[in-house]
Amino acid sequence: MLWQGGFTDTIFFEQQMSMLTKLMIKPNNLLIPRALQALDLLTTKDSELDELWQDLGEYTEWAANIEQLKELLQSKL
């Protein structure tokens, strides 16, 4: 789980995409690749966030959540 509050990342982002659809706002096709690039940077070995999750012992779950988020974003391209 990425956020404390009972939502898994997939449910959270599906809800966000649903809200955007209802508002008739389409995600910018230039923004999604940048978001994917940012997620790639978060998971590099030089990333402090990557190191933090490893230190917490929850790296596998965190990395899986990041991959799910990337798949969701890629599906919107």
Side-chain angles (χ1 to χ4, degrees), residues 3 9 12-13 23-26 33 35 47 52 60 62 76:
W3 297 275
D9 60 315
F12 177 79
F13 286 105
L23 294 173
M24 300 178 81
I25 300 171
K26 295 184 181 180
S47 166
L52 174 67
T60 303
W62 176 73
K76 303 303 177 186

Side-chain angles (χ1 to χ4, degrees), residues 13-14 17-18 21 27-29 32 70-77:
F13 286 105
E14 285 177 356
M17 293 305 292
S18 175
T21 302
N28 184 324
N29 286 341
I32 293 174
K70 286 167 60 175
E71 288 173 12
L72 179 63
L73 287 169
Q74 288 170 341
S75 75
K76 303 303 177 186
L77 288 175

Side-chain angles (χ1 to χ4, degrees), residues 14-52:
E14 285 177 356
Q15 289 174 344
Q16 298 305 308
M17 293 305 292
S18 175
M19 182 179 69
L20 290 173
T21 302
K22 287 178 185 175
L23 294 173
M24 300 178 81
I25 300 171
K26 295 184 181 180
N28 184 324
N29 286 341
L30 298 175
L31 185 59
I32 293 174
R34 289 183 181 185
L36 290 167
Q37 183 180 27
L39 291 171
D40 285 340
L41 290 172
L42 291 176
T43 56
T44 63
K45 291 186 180 187
D46 295 334
S47 166
E48 290 184 32
L49 189 56
D50 185 78
E51 184 179 333
L52 174 67

Side-chain angles (χ1 to χ4, degrees), residues 1-2 9 39 42-43 49-50 53-54 58-71:
M1 182 181 314
L2 286 175
D9 60 315
L39 291 171
L42 291 176
T43 56
L49 189 56
D50 185 78
W53 283 102
Q54 289 184 34
E58 298 179 9
Y59 179 80
T60 303
E61 183 180 356
W62 176 73
N65 285 334
I66 294 293
E67 286 304 312
Q68 287 179 344
L69 177 55
K70 286 167 60 175
E71 288 173 12

